[in-house]
């Protein structure tokens, strides 16, 4: 009796038809149009950040270039321990929290109003979006000269008409003046995000709640707010990313005086006025790190919103 062995079947060879590119070549062909944009992004954003990171480890004053020396983490230690820099960090936190919370509340109120049907709703929505489309420097100049000016500003003009006082808004309430201009500009952004959330609600569920006798307030508290939680988080995170880095309003309205200098303005002062390249770079790196942390949470919220929409569909 002879044992016969059966050879394993040979794996079929994959032949690429003549004239048809391989899968790897097709993949590179689809990615090739993105390479110029990728290279541009690396050159414009990543290389300057690497240079800033390197400079942050040096004691480098541009007025004394020959005295440059490696300082290790001394610049970061000074940023975190210097009283003026700590105050600028606190001002940045206070400015960000106040603007984001006020913009969210006002944006929610406006979104609830625009969620109702009324004549001219499209025109009203366009007018409410307009402040967000204004260039930040132009918006700050508008508030500084057209509204805040103690001699010819609109606010004092209205107070003069009713016989009220004529305060110097920027000198008396400098931080509030900066916050008001930013709230005016960022409320439409929050309104758009929350309006999209309101229009994605399950209207059948709301109608069922009304049939069961629920009041408008109960529907808002128990149905609308839980549904808007992700949208509120998204608006807060995206707004925080911008306002943490805000420079235009502080520079234009108060020039960083009267206790309104936030961390980006302090970086500007250290670099362009004190010529402390290393110290300014260290502060800038900390701003970027804080923005990245906030952006990471924002991306998680966005991804969770997409997952919810896909599961609902």
């Amino acid at each position: 009796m002879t044992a016969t062995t059966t050879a394993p079947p040979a794996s079929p060879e994959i032949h690429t038809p003549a004239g048809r590119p391989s899968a790897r070549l097709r993949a590179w062909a689809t990615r090739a149009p993105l390479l110029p944009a990728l290279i541009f992004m690396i050159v414009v954003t990543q290389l300057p950040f690497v240079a800033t990171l390197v400079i942050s480890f040096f004691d480098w004053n541009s007025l004394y270039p020959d005295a440059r020396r490696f300082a290790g983490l001394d610049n970061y230690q000074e940023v975190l321990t210097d009283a003026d820099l700590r105050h600028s960090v606190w001002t940045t936190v206070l400015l960000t929290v106040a603007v984001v919370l006020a913009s969210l509340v006002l944006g929610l109120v406006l979104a609830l109003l625009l969620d109702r049907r009324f004549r001219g709703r499209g025109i009203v929505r366009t007018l409410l979006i307009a402040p967000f489309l204004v260039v930040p420097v132009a918006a700050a100049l508008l508030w500084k000269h057209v509204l805040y000016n103690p001699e010819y500003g609109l606010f004092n003009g209205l107070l003069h008409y009713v016989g009220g006082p004529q305060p110097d808004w920027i000198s008396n309430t400098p931080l509030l003046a900066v916050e008001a201009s930013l709230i005016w500009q960022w409320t439409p952004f929050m309104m758009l995000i929350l309006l999209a959330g309101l229009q994605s609600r399950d209207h059948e569920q709301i109608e069922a709640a009304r049939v069961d006798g629920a009041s408008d307030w109960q529907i808002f508290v128990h149905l609308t707010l839980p549904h808007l939680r992700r949208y509120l988080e998204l608006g807060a995170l995206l707004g925080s990313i911008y306002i943490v880095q805000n420079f235009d309003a502080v520079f234009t309205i108060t020039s960083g005086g009267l206790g309104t200098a936030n961390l980006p303005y302090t970086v500007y002062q250290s670099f362009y006025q004190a010529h402390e390249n290393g110290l300014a770079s260290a502060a800038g790196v900390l701003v970027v790190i804080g923005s990245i942390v906030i952006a990471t949470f924002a991306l998680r919220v966005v991804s969770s919103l997409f997952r919810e929409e896909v599961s609902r569909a």
Side-chain angles (χ1 to χ4, degrees):
M1 187 172 181
T2 59
T4 59
T5 59
T6 304
S11 58
E13 297 183 0
I14 300 176
H15 298 281
T16 302
R20 181 177 296 179
S22 64
R24 180 176 296 179
L25 185 60
R26 287 198 304 271
W28 275 107
T30 55
R31 296 189 182 102
L34 299 176
L35 286 179
L38 179 62
I39 295 172
F40 177 80
M41 184 187 69
I42 292 174
V43 171
V44 173
T45 62
Q46 303 308 310
L47 292 183
F49 177 72
V50 172
T52 303
L53 185 62
V54 172
I55 294 172
S56 69
F57 294 109
F58 284 85
D59 183 5
W60 184 355
N61 190 306
S62 59
L63 297 178
Y64 309 98
D66 295 334
R68 180 179 57 193
R69 65 178 182 83
F70 182 77
L73 298 176
D74 291 348
N75 289 323
Y76 292 93
Q77 182 178 359
E78 185 173 352
V79 170
L80 297 175
T81 57
D82 183 78
D84 293 335
L85 290 171
R86 282 205 311 268
H87 183 268
S88 67
V89 172
W90 168 247
T91 302
T92 303
V93 173
L94 187 62
L95 184 69
T96 302
V97 171
V99 172
V100 168
L101 289 180
S103 300
L104 278 175
V105 173
L106 293 175
L108 179 59
V109 172
L110 294 176
L112 289 171
L113 292 176
L114 289 179
D115 192 48
R116 301 175 179 270
R117 295 186 178 275
F118 58 89
R119 182 174 298 179
R121 183 174 65 167
I123 297 176
V124 173
R125 182 171 51 204
T126 303
L127 292 175
L128 290 175
I129 295 171
F132 186 66
L133 305 178
V134 179
V135 177
V137 174
L141 288 172
L142 172 69
W143 278 80
K144 181 177 182 179
H145 295 292
V146 178
L147 300 177
Y148 288 146
N149 192 282
E151 297 180 0
Y152 55 80
L154 180 61
F155 288 160
N156 281 3
L158 294 175
L159 289 174
H160 177 73
Y161 181 76
V162 298
Q166 300 289 295
D168 188 343
W169 299 92
I170 297 177
S171 298
N172 296 343
T173 54
L175 190 59
L176 185 61
V178 175
E179 291 170 352
S181 66
L182 291 174
I183 291 169
W184 175 78
Q185 193 166 23
W186 276 91
T187 295
F189 176 78
M190 304 298 184
M191 178 195 71
L192 287 177
I193 291 179
L194 297 176
L195 184 60
L198 288 174
Q199 293 178 350
S200 66
R201 291 178 299 175
D202 187 355
H203 293 283
E204 294 182 357
Q205 187 181 27
I206 296 176
E207 291 300 326
R210 293 188 187 279
V211 171
D212 291 338
S215 63
D216 291 338
W217 175 252
Q218 291 173 327
I219 292 175
F220 174 75
V221 172
H222 298 289
L223 294 179
T224 302
L225 273 184
H227 175 76
L228 290 179
R229 183 177 66 87
R230 292 290 186 185
Y231 297 89
L232 290 167
E233 292 175 355
L234 178 62
L237 291 170
L238 293 178
S240 299
I241 291 172
Y242 173 82
I243 297 165
V244 161
Q245 307 175 60
N246 180 265
F247 174 82
D248 308 84
V250 174
F251 177 79
T252 305
I253 295 177
T254 63
S255 297
L258 304 173
T260 61
N262 58 351
L263 195 53
Y265 187 85
T266 303
V267 173
Y268 161 78
Q269 282 184 315
S270 301
F271 190 84
Y272 286 102
Q273 296 179 3
H275 304 282
E276 291 287 350
N277 296 350
L279 187 63
S281 298
V285 169
L286 292 179
V287 174
V288 172
I289 292 174
S291 301
I292 290 174
V293 171
I294 299 174
T296 302
F297 286 104
L299 290 175
R300 289 183 178 180
V301 173
V302 171
S303 62
S304 66
L305 280 174
F306 282 137
R307 285 196 298 268
E308 288 181 3
E309 292 297 330
V310 170
S311 63
R312 190 177 303 163

